[in-house]
Amino acid sequence: MRIASFVLVSTFGLLACGTVPDIQSTDSDTGTGTETGTDTSTGNEPATSNSGGAGCVPGQSIACTCTNGDAGAQVCNQTGNGYGECVCEGGGSNSDSDAPTTTMPPDPTTDPGTSTDPGSSTDPGTSTDPGTSSTTEADTTTGVTCDDPGAEPNEDEGSAVDLMNQGCNDEAQTITGVLSGDADVDWYQYHGEFGGFCGFGDPDAAHQLTASDSVRLCVFADCDMGTPDFDCQDGTAAEDSPEGRPGCCGDGDVTFTLNCMGGEENAQIFVRLDQAPADACVDYEVQYSYSGG
């Protein structure tokens, strides 16, 4: 009975003092809510914006996406209040942040220093070197271009201009032309006729030269029948044509008396003018006849 009285007194004393604790005030909930202090937020979570927003760890680098879709990187600033701009390969960015831009190494495929090197693509020494691309010196082996009223081309014996027949009783005829420098050669030919009404003796193949500068005049003979026989006068020299016809050459008039050994004195006469000064246009005139001596 003593024990029961003690319990009753103790209980009554507690009720009298009003200090009986509420047993429901002790929270034994171990859930994952914020009441237990186990919030998973660390304060280092990256900001959702490239500039501003939640804080970050200074110097921390995170991945970002460039405007062209390539991957880049952005770094938390020194104050830890935001990330700098997204730095992309080639120096590009997709942020308006005031953070300094990281310069990427130049791309050798687009480096203008390799495509505009003046030593390789526009070097004037190789592409416009006047010593190799143009020549201004006069060419003394091809002559000059002159206004020639005569018949051309007549540069060799085979292309000699045919002046037709020249009889013993015909009036003298005239050849006119122009030599274009020292490389130009002009050839002419006519058929000298000396028949029964031309008298006795042998015909004179006479050629009188008039020229604006020094030129050489040559006359060659080819008898219709027989072998040509004649003597070159003073001031002229005997010379054969390229095709082997005998003749006389000089710097002025050329005249010789022709005897065709073994036939009549009919012959094909070839006239050549050459050896004009280099780079000069020389007008000439040759008066010719084939008459009795």
Side-chain angles (χ1 to χ4, degrees), residues 7-70:
V7 173
L8 178 61
V9 173
S10 299
T11 303
F12 179 80
L14 291 173
L15 292 174
C17 295
T19 59
V20 178
D22 185 1
I23 61 176
Q24 295 180 355
S25 64
T26 301
D27 189 359
S28 61
D29 186 4
T30 58
T32 59
T34 58
E35 293 180 358
T36 61
T38 57
D39 188 356
T40 58
S41 175
T42 62
N44 296 330
E45 184 176 345
T48 58
S49 172
N50 286 343
S51 60
C56 57
V57 177
Q60 180 183 14
S61 175
I62 63 172
C64 60
T65 303
C66 302
T67 56
N68 60 2
D70 292 342

Side-chain angles (χ1 to χ4, degrees), residues 107-165:
D107 188 348
T109 62
T110 59
D111 184 5
T114 60
S115 61
T116 59
D117 181 7
S120 59
S121 60
T122 59
D123 184 4
T126 58
S127 59
T128 58
D129 184 4
T132 58
S133 60
S134 63
T135 301
T136 57
E137 292 183 4
D139 189 347
T140 59
T141 63
T142 58
V144 294
T145 301
C146 306
D147 185 12
D148 190 350
E152 292 285 348
N154 57 343
E155 311 304 312
D156 53 46
E157 202 166 348
S159 61
V161 177
D162 192 352
L163 303 175
M164 305 304 290
N165 298 327

Side-chain angles (χ1 to χ4, degrees), residues 64-89:
C64 60
T65 303
C66 302
T67 56
N68 60 2
D70 292 342
Q74 56 186 154
V75 180
C76 181
N77 59 31
Q78 296 298 321
T79 60
N81 62 357
Y83 288 90
E85 62 180 322
C86 184
V87 179
C88 305
E89 182 178 1

Side-chain angles (χ1 to χ4, degrees), residues 217-243:
L217 172 63
C218 296
V219 180
F220 307 97
D222 187 5
C223 293
D224 292 355
M225 298 179 62
T227 302
D229 181 40
F230 55 88
D231 294 323
C232 295
Q233 298 179 354
D234 293 340
T236 63
E239 184 173 328
D240 289 345
S241 73
E243 296 186 8

